[in-house]
Amino acid sequence: MENFIKVLIIFIICSVITPKAQAFDEITEEMFETTHKDEVFLALTSDETPAVENQEENIISEETQKKRLFNFDFDDDDDGLMDNADFDFEIFKIFDREKVISEDTLFGKIVNSDITRTDVTTFLLQDDLTFNYEKGPISRIHAYGAYRGNLNMIWDSNYSTDYDNNLTQVGVFGSFRNPDYKFKFAANPIPKGGLNYIDRFVSDAYFVNTSIPNHQLVAGYSRVQTSVEGGASTYVLPFVARSQIARNFSNVKSLSLKAIGNYQYLDYNLSVGSAGRYITSGMPGAEFNGWVNLKPFGNRSKKYGKLVLGGGFNGGHNRIDYAVATGYIGYHHKKLWTNFEASVADGYSGYNGISKNEAGGWAATLGWKFNPHFQLLGRVDQFDPNRNMSNDLRNEYTIGINWFIKGQALKIMLNYVFCDSQNRQDSHKIILATQIVL
């Protein structure tokens, strides 16, 4: 019974925490071949050589197991936080790869899946939910479902808790018979207060053309690249909440035409379209958005890491004229990831609404990934809602821990946030979030 419990514990640890789990029969064999204190053996021969060999194998096996559980010397293959140019290209590369169907059970497929990347959205059942068609205009689709919820504990003058259904989404990536034409549609079926159901329901609805090398031409309702974090997918955010400049100046979508370029040393994302933020907004005014990245070391340098120098402009008219300029510096090398982003606005149209104020802010983030599954992060974040007024700065200090059980497809996030405002009461927050993407 004791050995059975040991076998079960080792199996769970190796299956869930390590990226490449041992098979159950291998673990069992190792368990019974490993010597234990006060364990008695019956010697069948006088030859001691097999015993010595077994001891050496046991030592090697223990060392291998420790490396799997506590792999602090790994070479991370992630790119940190991608902007839209990198992210859009990478997500369709993953979609285009050949699927491999496992004969394992549903639970076994999830437990034994080898998912460690955290810089792009990953899916627990991508191969099983990808379907190829021999006839008709569509050649392939990949369906997915996602859920993300937050438990928020807030201390200010009082203590309060609430649970936020941050995201419940179903969607599909698709490819037409001509592989240069693709599409994505995503829907949020859970209603949200303050929005009509259609505006909340449609999350993404766009077509992509990849006939020009190193380019994507996008038409439809998609995310606006006002900043790196503001333009990033919700699924790959390093913290539960975006920075203040991302929440106020960006984190929006619009109907537009985009040209996205992705090269070794240069990325760009240019778009023109509606200044409306929802699928039913129509054309309240026009909007231009442009973003350019320079990568001095290329897409990835094993020796020097990845350095990104970026900047962009978002301007248009939606009841008011608005203009937002943003600069970005990001660096990623092995376990280290850090960035700095600053914005200045003369009016803005972001997730929290439209404002004619002259505002500004910045955010600096530092992260360290101990192994492919555990990451520690810290962020200092400042927002000035009106640069023409004094004593209104809002500062947020965030510490976060990310447990990537299966990359971004299955993760747990724990954040502590201290809000220090000049004209508001200070507060403390502890946020526990879970995310699953099938």
Side-chain angles (χ1 to χ4, degrees), residues 209-230:
N209 179 275
T210 59
S211 57
I212 303 175
N214 301 311
H215 283 79
Q216 287 186 349
L217 303 179
V218 182
Y221 184 66
S222 62
R223 188 171 290 277
V224 179
Q225 181 71 54
T226 306
S227 63
V228 171
E229 185 170 339

Side-chain angles (χ1 to χ4, degrees), residues 6-24 26-28 30 61 64-66 68-69 110-114 373 405-406:
K6 291 179 181 179
V7 170
L8 182 62
I9 292 173
I10 292 176
F11 174 72
I12 294 173
I13 292 174
C14 294
S15 298
V16 177
I17 298 181
T18 59
K20 291 186 177 180
Q22 289 177 295
F24 185 83
E26 293 176 346
I27 298 172
T28 307
E30 179 182 327
S61 180
T64 302
Q65 186 66 14
K66 287 180 181 179
R68 284 174 172 170
L69 293 175
I110 295 175
V111 169
N112 296 320
S113 59
D114 186 11
H373 301 277
I405 302 171
K406 294 294 178 182

Side-chain angles (χ1 to χ4, degrees), residues 417-437:
V417 185
F418 172 54
C419 301
D420 176 23
S421 303
Q422 293 181 339
N423 59 356
R424 293 181 176 184
Q425 186 173 8
D426 295 346
S427 65
H428 303 263
K429 301 177 183 178
I430 294 179
I431 309 172
L432 178 65
T434 56
Q435 176 172 294
I436 181 170
V437 186

Side-chain angles (χ1 to χ4, degrees), residues 295-308:
K295 300 174 286 187
F297 305 146
N299 282 324
R300 183 169 180 83
S301 169
K302 291 289 186 181
K303 183 176 182 180
Y304 300 108
K306 183 176 181 179
L307 175 65
V308 178

